């Protein structure tokens, strides 16, 4: 079925036969806490590798009116935290359980040698957890998924097997946005699944964000007339590299980035202060010198040649165009929901899965032959001075640490780090007549808190370790709903410790404080203490001032590590080196 036909399909009701679909459970064990006949739809929108300041509501010059609408008409969390890479975040989001228990103790692509084969490090969403889609489906919801999955590609780990009635999923961490091919040599090919069948992408009129949005609209429309609520999970590839977008979205930003990344960081920070995004004054880390890896430090724009400046400005334009296009597609989805009278009856959540990615994969000499073979234009010399078709079919584009730092303003460092730049992302919620409009919240919240929140709004309680007579890991997040409705000011008690670890970078949150450790080459390997409510740039290390708190939080982290069966990475582990090593294992 082509795109036009899908958009015209407005009356068909396609109900999957229960006996044909593999289900995790067959009955509902959660208890209703509200009117079961008056339950809202749920829409979860996930941006990939998006910077903290990449939406207008958080200080961006990129046009994102539809995402900004969620902030204007709902609640913005400015102190919301996730995992520092894609699949661990998605694991916790869908299960409410720590990633080390649910199968993604480390992202499969960067898993250390000593972690392979260990429980909790299966590299996919394991069967020890119950997905939120399963619980909602079993309680009478339609459940739909489209886009990036990255939680498994076997028959037991694809969306169809984990509670989604209808799905169209990309199994890998990313892919080209125009055609069916990998974006990096770590993958021999990419895998797409429609329900329980592996399928190929359309060969014409395909762009990832457009297509995934079409599929979700089609899914909702297919069952609309039966009156049941739906849960839709839409995982965009935007803005994971390769950065690509229809040309008109890129050209819109001609000249916008010609002054470079330092200027952009300052402009975004000024905008954040102007809109009072944070309750306190903030400043920026100008160098990122804690990392010993040169390609993660901030380069100086003025040291570039004129040609390098043109090339890099167009790179950021391409990223902005991809972001703009995602927002455009979100607007299409909102317009559809408004047309059918369901927009205001839908709890809408928008978030990113982690911070920005500074890595220049194609710069690695081990990867260069692959990019030269599979993409016509990747390197500056490929363009011969004309960058107008950057981001189009046949071009691979990323943007490096300078733009990644600007996109993450004011947070420190990037994806994979346990700094704020790796873990702190925008989190927006809209549900008219139930939560406030235009409200900003600076209290700490964590990705595992979404699971109980969604269930509470749907009139359900999370299971307590048993579901349909079987034992599973118990979700341990706290519902955000009391904060959304103004009944409480904090999601978590000040004395509650929440641990985190990924790829050797670790953290523990407690009240307004975060204790974190990033081993070399990402950081110093020392425990650092920050007040996340006032210091997202992590410039004022309080460890020396508060040694008792540091000692207490180290004990909290040790307890977290034991309870979640962490397998520490070995000394000298480097995720960039590991991904190259693992690529060879895959092939």
């Amino acid at each position: 079925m082509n795109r036009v036909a899908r958009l015209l399909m407005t009356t068909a009701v396609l109900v999957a036969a229960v006996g044909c679909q593999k289900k995790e459970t067959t009955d509902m064990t959660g208890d209703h806490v509200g009117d079961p006949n008056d339950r809202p739809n749920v829409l979860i929108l996930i941006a990939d590798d998006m910077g903290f300041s990449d939406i207008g509501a958080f200080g961006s010059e990129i046009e994102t009116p539809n995402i900004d609408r969620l902030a204007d008409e709902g609640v913005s969390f400015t102190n919301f935290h996730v995992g520092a890479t894609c699949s661990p975040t998605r694991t916790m989001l869908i299960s409410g359980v720590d990633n080390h228990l649910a199968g993604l103790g480390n992202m499969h692509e960067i898993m250390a040698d000593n972690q392979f084969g260990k429980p909790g490090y299966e590299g996919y969403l394991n069967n020890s957890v119950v997905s939120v889609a399963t619980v909602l489906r079993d309680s009478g919801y339609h459940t739909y998924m489209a886009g990036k999955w990255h939680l498994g590609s076997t028959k037991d780990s694809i969306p169809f097997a984990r509670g989604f009635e209808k799905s169209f999923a990309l199994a890998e961490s990313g892919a080209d946005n125009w055609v069916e091919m990998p974006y990096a040599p770590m993958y021999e090919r990419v895998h797409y699944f429609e329900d329980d069948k592996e399928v190929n992408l359309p060969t014409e009129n395909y762009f990832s964000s457009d297509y995934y949005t079409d599929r979700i609209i089609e899914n909702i429309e297919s069952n609309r007339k039966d009156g049941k609520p739906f849960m839709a999970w839409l995982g965009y590839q935007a803005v994971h590299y390769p950065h690509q977008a229809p040309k008109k979205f890129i050209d819109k930003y001609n000249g916008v980035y010609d002054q470079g990344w330092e200027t952009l960081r300052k402009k975004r920070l000024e905008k954040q202060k102007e809109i009072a995004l944070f309750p306190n004054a903030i400043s920026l880390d100008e160098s990122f010198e804690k990392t010993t890896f040169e390609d993660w430090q901030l380069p100086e724009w003025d040291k570039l040649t004129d040609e390098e400046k043109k090339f890099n400005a167009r790179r950021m334009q391409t990223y902005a165009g991809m972001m703009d296009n995602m927002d455009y597609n979100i607007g299409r989805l909102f317009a559809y929901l408004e047309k059918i009278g369901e927009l205001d009856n839908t709890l809408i959540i928008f978030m990113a899965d982690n911070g920005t990615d500074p890595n220049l994969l194609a710069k690695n000499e081990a990867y260069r032959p692959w990019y030269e073979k599979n993409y016509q234009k990747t390197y500056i010399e490929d363009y011969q001075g004309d960058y107008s078709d950057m981001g189009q079919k046949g071009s691979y584009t990323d943007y490096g640490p300078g733009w990644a730092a600007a996109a993450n303003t004011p947070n420190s460092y990037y994806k994979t780090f346990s700094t704020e730049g790796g873990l702190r992302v925008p989190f927006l919620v809209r549900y008219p007549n139930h939560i406030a409009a235009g409200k900003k919240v600076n209290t700490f919240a964590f990705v595992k808190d979404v699971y109980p929140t969604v269930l509470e709004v749907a009139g359900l309680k999370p299971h307590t370790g048993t579901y349909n007579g079987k034992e599973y890991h118990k979700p341990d997040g706290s519902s955000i709903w009391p904060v959304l409705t103004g009944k409480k000011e904090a999601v978590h008690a000040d004395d509650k410790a929440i641990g985190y670890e990924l790829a050797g970078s670790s953290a523990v949150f407690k009240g307004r404080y975060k204790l974190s450790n990033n081993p070399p080459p990402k950081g110093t390997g020392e425990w650092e203490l920050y007040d996340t409510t006032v210091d997202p740039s992590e410039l004022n290390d309080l460890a020396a001032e508060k040694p008792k708190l540091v000692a207490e939080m180290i004990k909290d982290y040790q307890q977290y590590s034991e309870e979640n069966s962490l397998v520490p990475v070995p000394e000298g582990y480097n995720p960039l080196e590991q991904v190259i090593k693992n690529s060879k294992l895959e092939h």
Side-chain angles (χ1 to χ4, degrees):
M1 183 181 294
N2 62 32
R3 181 181 173 191
V4 173
R6 286 197 307 274
L7 291 174
L8 291 176
M9 188 181 68
T10 59
T11 59
V13 178
L14 306 175
V15 181
V18 174
C20 296
Q21 187 181 72
K22 176 179 175 60
K23 294 186 177 184
E24 293 174 357
T25 57
T26 56
D27 65 325
M28 244 308 298
T29 60
D31 297 320
H32 286 292
V33 295
D35 183 353
N37 298 314
D38 185 25
R39 298 190 292 172
N41 308 307
V42 177
L43 172 62
I44 299 175
L45 303 166
I46 309 169
D48 200 346
D49 290 1
M50 188 191 82
F52 185 83
S53 64
D54 276 337
I55 59 176
F58 277 43
S60 183
E61 72 295 331
I62 301 173
E63 295 182 15
T64 57
N66 299 294
I67 299 171
D68 296 345
R69 179 180 179 183
L70 301 179
D72 294 339
E73 300 177 2
V75 178
S76 304
F77 280 74
T78 60
N79 196 2
F80 184 85
H81 291 72
V82 294
T85 64
C86 323
S87 50
T89 289
R90 293 160 199 264
T91 297
M92 292 186 279
L93 179 66
I94 202 167
S95 71
V97 173
D98 189 85
N99 55 296
H100 299 88
L101 299 176
L104 274 298
N106 199 349
M107 193 166 72
H108 181 73
E109 291 82 354
I110 59 173
M111 197 171 294
D113 295 349
N114 64 318
Q115 295 173 331
F116 281 99
K118 301 293 175 60
Y121 291 80
E122 292 85 356
Y124 56 85
L125 186 69
N126 65 31
N127 289 317
S128 71
V129 297
V130 182
S131 78
V132 68
T134 293
V135 177
L136 290 175
R137 183 201 62 199
D138 291 349
S139 73
Y141 271 73
H142 290 299
T143 51
Y144 310 125
M145 183 272 167
K148 174 175 169 176
W149 176 242
H150 203 200
L151 296 178
S153 58
T154 66
K155 65 177 183 178
D156 295 325
S157 61
I158 59 176
F160 189 75
R162 304 314 298 262
F164 288 99
E165 175 185 341
K166 293 177 180 291
S167 58
F168 187 93
L170 166 66
E172 283 74 22
S173 65
D176 192 273
N177 295 280
W178 292 108
V179 296
E180 185 177 322
M181 65 175 284
Y183 71 92
M186 68 185 79
Y187 304 115
E188 281 195 277
R189 56 183 291 255
V190 286
H191 301 79
Y192 293 89
F193 293 90
E194 183 170 12
D195 300 338
D196 60 343
K197 301 290 192 300
E198 187 174 348
V199 296
N200 296 110
L201 289 182
T203 56
E204 296 181 358
N205 299 319
Y206 175 84
F207 182 73
S208 65
S209 293
D210 298 346
Y211 189 77
Y212 297 152
T213 306
D214 288 347
R215 295 306 298 255
I216 284 294
I217 292 174
E218 172 191 337
N219 291 160
I220 297 170
E221 183 64 29
S222 69
N223 289 317
R224 176 167 65 90
K225 291 190 176 181
D226 68 9
K228 293 182 180 180
F230 67 81
M231 188 273 263
W233 173 293
L234 180 48
Y236 287 105
Q237 287 177 227
V239 275
H240 193 292
Y241 45 58
H243 300 152
Q244 299 167 319
K247 193 171 185 297
K248 66 179 181 179
F249 289 94
I250 300 172
D251 289 345
K252 181 190 294 189
Y253 296 95
N254 285 342
V256 173
Y257 302 108
D258 291 353
Q259 300 304 309
W261 40 73
E262 293 104 338
T263 298
L264 182 61
R265 287 186 88 202
K266 292 175 182 177
K267 286 183 177 179
R268 289 196 176 184
L269 181 62
E270 290 172 2
K271 181 65 174 180
Q272 289 172 338
K273 291 180 177 180
E274 178 186 322
I275 62 178
L277 190 65
F278 296 98
N280 301 85
I282 50 177
S283 54
L284 298 172
D285 183 342
E286 301 289 351
S287 64
F288 286 12
E289 290 181 341
K290 289 178 185 175
T291 175
T292 57
F293 187 57
E294 185 178 347
D295 283 357
W296 289 336
Q297 295 174 353
L298 297 187
E300 295 182 42
W301 179 261
D302 287 341
K303 288 187 176 181
L304 302 181
T305 66
D306 288 345
E307 197 62 34
E308 288 171 336
K309 288 178 180 178
K310 291 178 183 177
F311 175 66
N312 279 283
R314 187 69 178 184
R315 286 167 121 184
M316 184 60 194
Q317 273 188 250
T318 304
Y319 177 88
M322 192 177 191
M323 183 76 199
D324 192 315
N325 172 266
M326 176 178 66
D327 181 85
Y328 163 77
N329 276 288
I330 291 172
R332 287 204 300 123
L333 178 53
F334 289 176
Y336 165 75
L337 292 175
E338 197 157 27
K339 180 180 179 181
I340 65 172
E342 293 293 341
L343 183 64
D344 290 349
N345 187 41
T346 302
L347 174 77
I348 302 176
I349 293 171
F350 173 85
M351 59 181 286
D353 60 351
N354 47 251
T356 55
D357 193 332
N359 295 311
L360 298 165
L361 290 185
K363 182 179 178 181
N364 191 300
E365 287 303 315
Y367 283 177
R368 187 177 183 109
W370 188 91
Y371 284 100
E372 290 177 339
K373 177 183 177 180
N374 290 280
Y375 282 98
Q376 288 75 54
K377 294 185 177 181
T378 300
Y379 305 97
I380 188 170
E381 59 268 25
D382 296 335
Y383 289 92
Q384 299 182 355
D386 180 5
Y387 307 110
S388 60
D389 57 355
M390 185 180 289
Q392 306 310 294
K393 287 184 181 180
S395 75
Y396 174 89
T397 311
D398 49 26
Y399 65 174
W403 294 125
N408 247 355
T409 303
N411 300 339
S412 56
Y413 298 91
Y414 322 97
K415 178 180 179 178
T416 77
F417 291 64
S418 60
T419 57
E420 293 300 271
L423 304 178
R424 190 174 188 143
V425 301
F427 184 79
L428 311 178
V429 184
R430 179 187 187 271
Y431 188 21
N433 304 315
H434 295 83
I435 65 174
K439 182 180 179 180
K440 297 183 180 71
V441 174
N442 194 35
T443 187
F444 169 80
F446 194 55
V447 61
K448 289 189 294 182
D449 300 331
V450 178
Y451 187 101
T453 305
V454 168
L455 294 186
E456 182 171 357
V457 175
L460 303 166
K461 292 180 180 179
H463 69 88
T464 57
T466 302
Y467 191 84
N468 191 32
K470 297 180 181 180
E471 292 186 0
Y472 295 91
H473 287 304
K474 174 185 174 182
D476 62 355
S478 298
S479 176
I480 299 170
W481 188 244
V483 173
L484 287 170
T485 54
K487 294 179 181 178
K488 290 185 178 180
E489 293 186 358
V491 179
H492 300 280
D494 286 345
D495 61 353
K496 182 178 180 180
I498 298 170
Y500 165 82
E501 188 274 339
L502 184 71
S505 291
S506 51
V508 59
F509 298 89
K510 203 167 193 176
R512 63 192 298 132
Y513 296 103
K514 182 184 81 170
L515 186 72
S516 61
N517 188 319
N518 285 280
K522 287 187 281 187
T524 65
E526 301 293 329
W527 286 105
E528 301 171 0
L529 181 69
Y530 298 100
D531 182 341
T532 61
T533 64
V534 298
D535 188 17
S537 299
E538 295 176 297
L539 294 174
N540 185 22
D541 183 0
L542 303 172
E545 296 179 23
K546 298 180 180 292
K548 290 184 179 179
L549 180 59
V550 170
E552 175 186 307
M553 294 177 74
I554 288 176
K555 288 183 179 179
D556 291 330
Y557 180 77
Q558 291 170 342
Q559 181 178 347
Y560 160 77
S561 177
E562 292 173 3
E563 290 177 350
N564 292 279
S565 302
L566 266 64
V567 179
V569 298
E571 187 174 350
Y573 167 88
N574 183 322
L576 291 183
E577 295 174 355
Q578 192 70 42
V579 74
I580 295 172
K581 184 176 183 179
N582 291 353
S583 297
K584 295 176 182 177
L585 293 176
E586 292 292 328
H587 296 171

